[in-house]
Amino acid sequence: MASCVYFCDLRGKCILSRRYRDDIPSSAIEKFPTLLVDAEQESAVVPPCLSHNGVYYSFIQHNDIYLVSMTRSMSINVAQSLAFLYRLVEVLTEYVKTVEEESIRDNFVIIYELLDEMMDYGIPQITETKMLKQYITQKSFKLIKSAKKSKNVVRPPSQLTQSVSWRPEGIVYKRNEAFLDVVESINMLISAQGQVLRSEILGKVKVKSRLSGMPDLKLGLNDKGIFTSGTDLADGTAPPTTKKSNIELEDLKFHQCVRLSKFENEKIITFIPPDGDFELMNYRLTTPIKPLIWCDVKIQVHSRSRIEIHCRAAAQIKKKSTANNVEITIPVPEDVDSPKFRYFHGSVKYLPEKNAIVWKIKTFPGGKEYSMAAQMGLPSVTDVDTPKSKRPVQVKFQIPYFTTSGIQVRYLKVNEPKLQYQSYPWVRYITQSGDDYTIRTT
């Protein structure tokens, strides 16, 4: 796939390199800075793949460095090449914390070892950090030696030569448990009149495995219609589809431990889990939903005097549900002062560094409505009314025991054929605000 991998600074100068094949001269990297400048001049968006004299440069930028993969093959999978570079950054972050020019120079020994293990003859091999950390350590900057003096040869963990490379053998727990969290984040843009302009559900199924041996898990969900009939076996992603309830699935991706052939044929999720925490699957839904936490914010600006803000918040969820840690951030002009608040629930605070009022409500039961009023002075005013802030209101919240999409876990079966132990699966549901849950003001 790759003839060589280079680490370059922002000027394109080589910091560190690893060559896997000899079909590209070492001087080819010297052309990379020129190609980068030419691409920036031609277009505002630089493509992630450039070519020159039959050499193809695939690259990504991270902090103050470029990671460049070079090849002569025209049939290369560019997406796979870029995915490897991003995965390389994730692995290096586990070892050196911050991946930047200085850390690359200070830790070149461990980076060379990782490059040798993660790729063989230009083909990706081991990319699981848990497996790499078993025999490549950060403290010693060298491979762990065998305990026997007569054998100093480094032996890779046995699981690297097996089909289950993400889980070592010999794991033992006194209490065998599996924790599964279904977390859905809601991104939404709402007009001042309450109309939903854009909505999106980003879902994740997280698993914490504390199981002995080599367990085989089977996960059953309440609606198979949420999944597509065709899944890309290369990376676990699936094309869009529509299920009976008209929920349109935009994206679906599984962890590598899931048996994709089994899922494609029978729509059953079976897997041997890694030990500890991992993300089993994630998905995205773009479907019209009503606002879970709705805020009606009205801002009145009085010339030469003050600004008044009235906020009415409503929890538009089922009465048996409760929104926790609700935080409503209302923007205000930069030069306000002398804040005065009137409210009966939660706490209100003016944050001048953010030019905003933050209203926090610890528990917000479904079906309830709360209100808050604020009055602030405007010292620097003119005869013309002060323009209102164009920034929207931001809302944060968490709703336990609830999913917006309606996904429910019907069962999580654990089978360990050798140990035959009794396991204890636990399931939690959380719906929370995403990074972009905003409401426009009037």
Side-chain angles (χ1 to χ4, degrees):
M1 183 191 79
S3 297
C4 49
V5 174
Y6 282 83
F7 290 79
C8 302
D9 59 19
L10 292 179
R11 296 173 296 178
K13 185 178 179 181
C14 178
I15 303 172
L16 182 149
S17 66
R18 176 64 174 93
R19 299 179 59 81
Y20 300 99
R21 304 179 185 180
D22 296 326
D23 57 341
I24 297 178
S26 57
S27 58
I29 192 62
E30 298 175 2
K31 189 62 179 177
F32 176 68
T34 306
L35 295 174
L36 200 60
V37 172
D38 293 343
E40 290 176 348
Q41 292 177 350
E42 293 178 2
S43 174
V45 180
V46 179
C49 186
L50 305 172
S51 63
H52 177 73
N53 289 342
V55 178
Y56 299 90
Y57 303 76
S58 301
F59 66 94
I60 64 172
Q61 182 180 355
H62 182 79
N63 292 335
D64 59 350
I65 62 172
Y66 286 102
L67 281 77
V68 186
S69 171
M70 300 167 59
T71 184
R72 282 194 179 276
S73 175
M74 293 185 64
S75 60
I76 182 177
N77 188 331
V78 178
Q80 186 182 29
S81 178
L82 296 173
F84 174 79
L85 295 178
Y86 280 111
R87 182 59 187 164
L88 178 58
V89 171
E90 293 178 5
V91 172
L92 292 179
T93 301
E94 293 291 328
Y95 278 87
V96 302
K97 304 304 179 184
T98 303
V99 180
E100 56 187 18
E101 181 179 350
E102 183 178 357
S103 63
I104 296 298
R105 295 184 185 276
D106 292 343
N107 298 276
F108 66 92
V109 174
I110 197 72
I111 293 175
Y112 273 122
E113 293 180 355
L114 289 170
L115 289 172
D116 287 340
E117 298 299 332
M118 295 181 66
M119 184 172 280
D120 183 23
Y121 197 62
I123 301 174
Q125 299 294 318
I126 307 166
T127 59
E128 276 290 328
T129 309
K130 291 182 179 179
M131 300 299 103
L132 292 168
K133 280 193 172 183
Q134 290 196 25
Y135 63 102
I136 297 181
T137 65
Q138 182 180 1
K139 292 182 179 180
S140 62
F141 293 97
K142 60 182 179 181
L143 298 179
I144 300 176
K145 302 297 182 180
S146 174
K148 297 182 179 180
K149 296 182 180 179
S150 59
K151 295 182 179 180
N152 279 334
V153 180
V154 177
R155 297 180 180 274
S158 59
Q159 61 269 20
L160 295 183
T161 60
Q162 301 176 356
S163 60
V164 186
S165 62
W166 54 86
R167 183 181 180 90
E169 294 182 346
I171 298 176
V172 178
Y173 288 101
K174 292 183 179 180
R175 182 180 175 88
N176 292 282
E177 298 176 310
F179 302 88
L180 190 146
D181 290 342
V182 180
V183 182
E184 292 188 345
S185 300
I186 310 299
N187 290 324
M188 186 175 291
L189 176 61
I190 310 168
S191 69
Q193 292 72 34
Q195 180 183 2
V196 177
L197 305 177
R198 173 175 51 83
S199 61
E200 178 185 57
I201 303 174
L202 300 178
K204 294 181 180 180
V205 178
K206 299 180 179 180
V207 178
K208 181 177 182 180
S209 173
R210 296 178 60 85
L211 300 170
S212 303
M214 199 66 69
D216 201 322
L217 276 64
K218 181 184 292 187
L219 174 64
L221 299 177
N222 62 325
D223 192 352
K224 294 181 181 180
I226 191 173
F227 300 123
T228 66
S229 58
T231 302
D232 186 354
L233 296 183
D235 58 2
T237 58
T241 186
T242 303
K243 70 174 188 177
K244 297 179 181 179
S245 58
N246 296 325
I247 292 182
E248 188 172 335
L249 183 65
E250 295 290 340
D251 192 15
L252 175 63
K253 185 176 292 185
F254 291 108
H255 188 274
Q256 62 174 323
C257 67
V258 176
R259 299 183 181 92
L260 293 181
S261 58
K262 184 84 170 177
F263 173 77
E264 184 182 59
N265 297 328
E266 304 178 27
K267 296 297 177 292
I268 298 176
I269 302 175
T270 61
F271 57 98
I272 297 176
D275 187 42
D277 299 319
F278 70 99
E279 187 174 297
L280 178 66
M281 59 176 281
N282 59 63
Y283 54 91
R284 182 163 61 95
L285 300 170
T286 55
T287 179
I289 57 175
K290 69 176 183 179
L292 302 180
I293 302 296
W294 157 244
C295 296
D296 182 15
V297 179
K298 298 185 181 300
I299 301 177
Q300 296 179 335
V301 180
H302 300 271
S303 179
R304 293 183 178 274
S305 58
R306 67 191 188 281
I307 179 173
E308 291 184 356
I309 300 174
H310 297 272
C311 178
R312 180 173 60 87
Q316 300 183 149
I317 55 180
K318 295 181 180 179
K319 292 183 178 181
K320 64 180 181 179
S321 299
T322 301
N324 298 329
N325 302 318
V326 178
E327 185 175 304
I328 303 171
T329 303
I330 306 171
V332 297
E334 297 181 358
D335 54 353
V336 297
D337 61 8
S338 306
K340 297 179 181 179
F341 305 114
R342 187 174 70 255
Y343 58 94
F344 298 98
H345 300 89
S347 63
V348 182
K349 188 176 182 180
Y350 168 53
L351 300 180
E353 66 275 10
K354 294 184 178 181
N355 297 316
I357 295 173
V358 178
W359 182 16
K360 294 183 179 181
I361 305 172
K362 191 172 182 180
T363 57
F364 203 154
K368 294 289 186 179
E369 286 191 8
Y370 298 147
S371 61
M372 182 274 298
Q375 179 176 295
M376 313 182 81
L378 287 172
S380 56
V381 295
T382 60
D383 292 333
V384 182
D385 286 350
T386 304
K388 300 177 182 179
S389 174
K390 298 297 182 181
R391 293 181 296 157
V393 174
Q394 294 183 335
V395 182
K396 296 180 180 180
F397 57 85
Q398 286 186 344
I399 307 174
Y401 318 113
F402 172 78
T403 57
T404 307
S405 65
I407 292 179
Q408 298 289 327
V409 176
R410 291 192 293 115
Y411 60 83
L412 180 61
K413 298 180 180 179
V414 180
N415 178 35
E416 215 297 331
K418 293 182 180 180
L419 301 180
Q420 292 291 332
Y421 51 74
Q422 184 179 6
S423 61
Y424 303 91
W426 305 89
V427 181
R428 294 188 304 179
Y429 303 94
I430 300 175
T431 293
Q432 61 187 14
S433 56
D435 297 330
D436 188 20
Y437 191 105
T438 55
I439 303 172
R440 293 177 178 175
T441 59
T442 56

